[in-house]
Amino acid sequence: DAGVIQSPRHEVTEMGQEVTLRCKPISGHDYLFWYRQTMMRGLELLIYFNNNVPIDDSGMPEDRFSAKMPNASFSTLKIQPSEPRDSAVYFCASSIGTSLSTDTQYFGPGTRLTVL
Amino acid sequence: AQSVTQPDIHITVSEGASLELRCNYSYGATPYLFWYVQSPGQGLQLLLKYFSGDTLVQGIKGFEAEFKRSQSSFNLRKPSVHWSDAAEYFCAVGSNTGKLIFGQGTTLQVKP
């Protein structure tokens, strides 16, 4: 398996523009997670899905952020409009389940977003 | 609330020396504890995890960690560090909903 795939790997945009980050989870994994990593706040969970349904979006910072999972093999995280404080590395992860004793979260390589 | 503290932001060790990265957690019940490693430009990779049983856990790449309930700690160790171990290391605690809460990370630099 190719692992979790994220695109683009790097994104540079100007403030006010819409940004869309993409993720393809590992085939057969029912859970998909979006994380954001910043120097100030470290690695924080934004939202996660189970079988394409959002389960917990309490980490989504504000209404400018939205995430969708239209099918089991694709998810997007959209920021509209983007702001410089959104600059971060965004990780996608997937797992078979959420049993922490048996199910490991596998992380993608991340998308480094820079908003000018 | 659950939380994880990694007291050391940056550590430098010489190649071949031993390593210990500290992690303290706050959790009301028996925790699920994890160590992940992030190499430059890569995603996080699971090194090891603890959820029950033997308090000394063996992981990949020669790492081990010891769970000490009395100290609320889960420190990561390696007897002899290799240059390829230079990376950022994250400790995490798992909640009963399956969510992971990460520490701020420790950056390891290895001197030749």
Side-chain angles (χ1 to χ4, degrees):
Chain A
D1 199 309
V4 176
I5 298 172
Q6 291 187 247
S7 64
R9 294 293 308 276
H10 301 273
E11 177 81 37
V12 180
T13 190
E14 292 189 347
M15 183 174 62
Q17 296 298 306
E18 177 180 292
V19 175
T20 300
L21 310 181
R22 297 172 176 80
C23 175
K24 176 178 169 54
I26 293 172
S27 177
H29 283 193
D30 290 335
Y31 288 82
L32 183 140
F33 306 81
W34 281 102
Y35 290 88
R36 179 173 67 176
Q37 183 181 37
T38 61
M39 290 293 292
M40 292 297 296
R41 301 176 65 90
L43 194 63
E44 50 184 347
L45 178 66
L46 300 178
I47 185 172
Y48 77 94
F49 295 82
N50 176 25
N51 290 324
N52 315 333
V53 176
I55 301 301
D56 184 346
D57 65 354
S58 59
M60 295 286 264
E62 48 196 278
D63 292 346
R64 297 185 297 105
F65 286 70
S66 63
K68 294 182 179 179
M69 192 165 185
N71 58 62
S73 60
F74 183 66
S75 177
T76 60
L77 178 67
K78 187 174 294 186
I79 309 172
Q80 166 63 18
S82 58
E83 296 182 3
R85 61 193 169 116
D86 302 330
S87 298
V89 181
Y90 292 81
F91 288 102
C92 178
S94 70
S95 66
I96 292 174
T98 56
S99 171
L100 294 175
S101 59
T102 57
D103 301 321
T104 298
Q105 289 188 27
Y106 294 88
F107 284 74
T111 295
R112 181 173 296 276
L113 173 65
T114 302
V115 183
L116 303 174
Chain B
Q2 299 122 7
S3 66
V4 177
T5 302
Q6 293 180 244
D8 304 306
I9 296 174
H10 192 108
I11 281 184
T12 301
V13 299
S14 297
E15 190 168 17
S18 63
L19 170 70
E20 182 169 31
L21 302 182
R22 296 184 292 164
C23 172
N24 294 99
Y25 67 89
S26 173
Y27 191 71
T30 300
Y32 292 89
L33 294 162
F34 304 79
W35 275 100
Y36 279 82
V37 60
Q38 183 183 18
S39 298
Q42 304 293 315
L44 279 71
Q45 181 184 21
L46 180 67
L47 284 176
L48 47 79
K49 64 182 176 183
Y50 169 82
F51 58 94
S52 68
D54 193 345
T55 57
L56 185 62
V57 181
Q58 301 297 321
I60 62 171
K61 304 185 180 186
F63 286 92
E64 66 179 25
E66 185 170 15
F67 170 59
K68 292 186 177 180
R69 184 188 300 276
S70 61
Q71 298 177 18
S72 298
S73 69
F74 189 57
N75 294 348
L76 182 71
R77 301 193 296 247
K78 187 169 184 178
S80 177
V81 170
H82 188 262
W83 64 267
S84 60
D85 294 324
E88 190 160 16
Y89 291 80
F90 292 91
C91 182
V93 63
S95 73
N96 54 10
T97 61
K99 292 165 65 171
L100 290 176
I101 298 163
F102 287 86
Q104 288 288 84
T106 298
T107 299
L108 173 65
Q109 183 178 2
V110 180
K111 292 191 302 184

